[in-house]
């Protein structure tokens, strides 16, 4: 039997007691010319590996969805390895990113060995190279640098000379092997490379990506901060009574990054190199949350197709310690918030009593696959939806979105089929936008409720979905008391109170009892 590729992490491993090298935030990473130079060259070499190689970008990208084939001898029944909408979502993606990381770093070490100057320094840079993460939990880094989303070329140091030279930027796109994209769903089967906010020909439009992320930045940051108030694994992963879970935040970043391109389509998302920056950040949030709460899933299902040994697969309880198990840590120099500031910003809640803030939220819930792919529900503090769809994100009445990263062909995926009728939910916290638009200074119910009855609207889009064709959609307003005890870092979420009359009777509103 042929040896199978194991998920082991970067090499060499440090001596006992020595911390693993850190993954760096992408802005800090691109400023390190040696690591950046090695990574850029290694990523391109990774792309160039033959598509029949299980360690190629083509095959590793395909683990996440199409072409729904067995990877490296692990049976999938032709229906993939998906774990979305389950408690294994966080843990399954950990060895997945490690697999990508170890292969890129393996190539980087080989490239470092070819440098004809400063060889020990290059060897050290390669040994410490880890997959960078995209720190979307910080307003300063929620938009990736130009080296990831805009620049057609980047400057690096080559092995034969320290002079900077320009090379094509592999962060922008991945070109599929000739003819390989024929296995994809439309329109991806007609485009030769990955794209973000594609035009009609499949070319990326980075200005649209930048503006979308800027529009959603505060929501993404606030929702990520709220995760630290949750204390159980399932609420952290899937959400609570008034807080969007990690997977929901992850969905928003996918949908806003893709804009109809790869990142917003489950079957082809992992071919875009930004996928691994995104999921390294998802993993970083998992690491931070675990360090605070010391809670992990006991589910010991195999995380297919990621092998621990030739005879066994990784399981969630075995991968808690990313430092010791997979040989990476997270930098603290660019840690986005202190513990106290993480807990403080909850959409700027307005204090109603000494230690309790009232937080108003719009809960959106629906069936994940009813629209036929990824979609968003936009919330506006306005008496009607703005007429120009292209301006929704930037409209002054825009309050936020509920985003679903959904497989357009769930019947092709075993896990998606199993969850076909599940209801997904998320929350748009509206205190700040309410105060801005209403010119009120109070968020007490007698002020908020009558205003929202007249000034709350919503719309759904895949392109643009007629709400009457979206019968499972239910938009509801609720108010949650957030208790912040003296000295506490994070608020305690109280029992939400639903105000059904605000949306009842409207298409997509509170369903009649």
């Amino acid at each position: 039997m042929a040896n199978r590729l194991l998920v082991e992490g970067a090499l060499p491993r440090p001596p006992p007691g020595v911390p693993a090298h850190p993954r760096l935030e992408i802005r800090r990473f691109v400023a390190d010319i040696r690591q950046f130079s090695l990574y850029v060259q290694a990523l391109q070499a990774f792309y160039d590996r033959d598509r029949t190689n299980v360690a190629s970008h083509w095959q590793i990208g395909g683990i996440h969805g199409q072409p729904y084939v067995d990877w490296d001898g692990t049976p999938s029944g032709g229906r993939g390895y998906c774990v979305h909408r389950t408690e294994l979502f966080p843990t399954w993606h950990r060895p997945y990113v490690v697999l990508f990381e170890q292969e890129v770093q393996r190539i980087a070490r080989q490239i470092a060995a070819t440098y004809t100057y400063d060889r020990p320094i290059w060897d050290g840079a390669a040994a410490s190279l880890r997959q960078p993460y995209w720190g979307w939990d910080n307003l300063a880094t929620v938009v990736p640098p130009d080296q990831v989303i805009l620049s057609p070329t980047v400057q690096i140091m080559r092995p034969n000379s320290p002079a900077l030279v320009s090379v094509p930027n592999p962060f922008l796109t991945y070109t599929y092997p000739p003819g390989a994209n024929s296995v994809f769903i439309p329109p991806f089967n007609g485009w030769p490379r990955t794209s973000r906010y594609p035009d009609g020909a499949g070319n990326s439009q980075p200005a649209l990506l930048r503006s979308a992320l800027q529009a959603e930045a505060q929501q993404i940051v606030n929702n990520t901060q709220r995760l630290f108030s949750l204390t159980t694994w399932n609420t952290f992963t899937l959400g609570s009574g008034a807080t969007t879970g990690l997977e929901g935040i992850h969905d928003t970043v996918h949908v806003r990054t893709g804009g109809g391109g790869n990142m917003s389509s489950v079957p082809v998302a992992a071919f875009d190199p930004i996928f691994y920056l995104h999921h390294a950040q998802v993993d970083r949030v998992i690491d931070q949350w675990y360090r605070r709460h010391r809670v992990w899933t006991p589910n010991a299902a195999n995380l297919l197709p990621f092998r621990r040994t030739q005879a066994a697969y990784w399981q969630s309880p075995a991968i808690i310690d990313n430092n010791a198990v997979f040989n990476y840590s997270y930098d603290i120099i660019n840690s986005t918030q202190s513990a106290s500031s993480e807990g403080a910003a909850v959409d700027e809640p307005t204090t109603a009593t000494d230690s309790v803030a009232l937080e108003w939220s719009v809960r959106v819930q629906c069936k994940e696959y009813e629209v036929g792919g990824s979609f968003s529900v936009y919330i506006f503090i306005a008496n009607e939806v703005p007429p120009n769809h292209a301006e929704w994100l930037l409209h002054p009445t825009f309050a936020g979105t509920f985003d679903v990263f959904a497989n357009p062909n769930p019947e092709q995926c075993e896990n998606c089929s199993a969850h076909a009728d599940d209801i997904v939910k998320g929350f748009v916290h509206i205190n700040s936008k309410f105060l801005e638009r209403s010119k009120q200074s109070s968020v007490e119910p007698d002020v908020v409720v009558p205003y929202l009855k007249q000034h709350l609207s919503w719309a759904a889009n895949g392109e643009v979905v007629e709400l009457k064709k979206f019968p499972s959609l239910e938009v509801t307003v609720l108010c949650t008391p957030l208790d912040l005890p003296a000295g506490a870092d994070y608020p305690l979420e109280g029992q939400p109170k639903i105000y059904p009359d605000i949306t009842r009777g409207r298409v997509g509103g509170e369903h009649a009892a």
Side-chain angles (χ1 to χ4, degrees):
M1 179 183 294
N3 281 342
R4 304 302 186 181
L5 183 59
L6 304 184
V7 180
E8 300 174 290
L11 296 174
R13 301 190 73 84
V18 177
H21 291 292
R23 291 177 173 173
L24 305 178
E25 207 285 322
I26 185 60
R27 288 184 178 271
R28 185 177 170 209
F29 182 84
V30 300
D32 185 326
I33 187 59
R34 288 187 171 83
Q35 288 207 348
F36 183 65
S37 296
L38 290 173
Y39 190 98
V40 164
Q41 294 172 92
L43 187 58
Q44 187 58 58
F46 186 47
Y47 292 168
D48 293 341
R49 280 180 170 174
D50 189 273
R51 62 190 283 189
T52 63
N53 183 345
V54 297
S56 65
H57 184 65
W58 171 256
Q59 289 218 17
I60 290 175
I63 291 172
H64 193 263
Q66 289 185 323
Y68 294 120
V69 296
D70 295 353
W71 183 77
D72 199 20
T74 297
S76 67
R79 304 190 73 195
Y81 306 105
C82 168
V83 295
H84 293 98
R85 311 301 171 204
T86 78
E87 64 183 301
L88 297 179
F89 160 79
T91 52
W92 184 89
H93 285 82
R94 174 164 284 187
Y96 191 21
V97 176
V98 169
L99 173 60
F100 180 91
E101 176 179 63
Q102 77 180 30
E103 294 309 308
V104 172
Q105 196 252 2
R106 189 193 309 269
I107 298 171
R109 292 174 64 213
Q110 295 168 353
I111 293 172
T114 69
Y115 274 70
T116 58
Y117 60 95
D118 297 336
R119 171 67 185 280
I121 297 176
W122 286 101
D123 286 341
S128 62
L129 188 147
R130 298 294 183 271
Q131 170 60 27
Y133 66 86
W134 163 21
W136 39 249
D137 60 336
N138 186 324
L139 290 176
T141 52
V142 74
V143 177
D146 288 351
Q147 292 92 331
V148 173
I149 62 172
L150 180 64
S151 305
T153 62
V154 289
Q155 290 197 314
I156 65 169
M157 299 167 70
R158 289 284 206 179
N160 58 351
S161 170
L164 290 174
V165 297
S166 293
V167 299
N169 182 3
F171 279 102
L172 282 188
T173 189
Y174 163 64
T175 299
Y176 309 119
N181 58 323
S182 63
V183 302
F184 294 154
I185 57 172
F188 302 100
N189 58 353
W191 297 338
R193 63 187 65 85
T194 61
S195 63
R196 304 164 194 157
Y197 286 82
D199 62 15
N203 300 307
S204 295
Q205 301 179 85
L208 297 180
L209 167 58
R210 184 188 302 275
S211 62
L213 290 173
Q214 289 170 337
E216 294 275 28
Q218 193 67 63
Q219 174 180 314
I220 293 169
V221 171
N222 287 349
N223 284 353
T224 306
Q225 293 166 355
R226 275 293 291 275
L227 288 175
F228 292 88
S229 298
L230 305 179
T231 58
T232 70
W233 182 263
N234 279 357
T235 57
F236 166 64
T237 302
L238 300 173
S240 70
T243 299
T244 301
L246 176 63
E247 189 167 3
I249 299 167
H250 146 275
D251 283 11
T252 290
V253 178
H254 264 286
V255 172
R256 291 295 149 226
T257 304
N262 288 69
M263 277 288 282
S264 54
S265 183
V266 174
V268 295
F271 293 102
D272 187 333
I274 206 171
F275 175 97
Y276 302 93
L277 295 172
H278 170 37
H279 271 279
Q281 165 67 5
V282 171
D283 187 73
R284 175 173 170 267
V285 173
I286 296 165
D287 179 73
Q288 291 178 326
W289 186 87
Y290 171 75
R291 289 177 183 277
R292 176 170 181 79
H293 297 291
R294 297 294 171 180
V295 173
W296 198 260
T297 178
N299 190 319
N302 286 335
L303 302 176
L304 303 178
F306 308 118
R307 295 179 186 270
R308 181 178 188 174
T309 67
Q310 293 297 323
Y313 294 95
W314 285 106
Q315 298 175 341
S316 300
I319 61 171
I320 295 175
D321 188 349
N322 48 274
N323 192 315
V325 176
F326 288 134
N327 194 21
Y328 70 89
S329 60
Y330 286 101
D331 67 301
I332 58 173
I333 294 175
N334 198 66
S335 183
T336 59
Q337 319 280 342
S338 67
S340 59
S341 66
E342 278 180 338
V346 189
D347 191 40
E348 304 289 341
T350 303
T351 300
T353 61
D354 289 344
S355 61
V356 177
L358 296 179
E359 181 178 67
W360 290 87
S361 306
V362 178
R363 183 185 70 197
V364 184
Q365 55 188 32
C366 58
K367 290 185 177 180
E368 178 173 2
Y369 301 111
E370 197 164 63
V371 171
S374 298
F375 62 91
S376 302
V377 176
Y378 291 72
I379 304 298
F380 303 94
I381 306 301
N383 57 7
E384 61 181 20
V385 174
N388 187 346
H389 169 238
E391 297 177 356
W392 281 357
L393 280 174
L394 304 178
H395 198 273
T397 64
F398 170 71
T401 55
F402 164 69
D403 304 283
V404 177
F405 179 52
N407 192 333
N409 301 105
E411 70 282 355
Q412 295 181 359
C413 167
E414 182 176 4
N415 180 66
C416 298
S417 297
H419 292 273
D421 292 323
D422 287 4
I423 297 293
V424 292
K425 67 177 180 179
F427 302 86
V428 176
H429 306 301
I430 61 172
N431 279 34
S432 293
K433 186 57 67 171
F434 166 78
L435 293 171
E436 173 195 322
R437 300 301 302 172
S438 69
K439 309 302 183 185
Q440 297 290 333
S441 58
S442 168
V443 292
E444 292 294 335
D446 60 348
V447 174
V448 175
V449 172
Y451 186 87
L452 291 183
K453 282 184 178 180
Q454 298 296 322
H455 299 90
L456 180 69
S457 57
W458 56 89
N461 83 312
E463 279 306 315
V464 177
V465 180
E466 291 185 53
L467 294 182
K468 63 185 179 182
K469 297 181 180 179
F470 196 0
S472 70
L473 177 66
E474 185 174 25
V475 176
T476 306
V477 175
L478 50 86
C479 182
T480 307
L482 300 178
D483 184 13
L484 187 62
D489 291 332
Y490 303 97
L492 302 177
E493 184 179 291
Q495 183 65 35
K497 180 177 180 180
I498 296 174
Y499 288 83
D501 290 345
I502 294 176
T503 63
R504 182 172 288 160
R506 298 169 60 187
V507 178
E510 171 78 16
H511 291 184

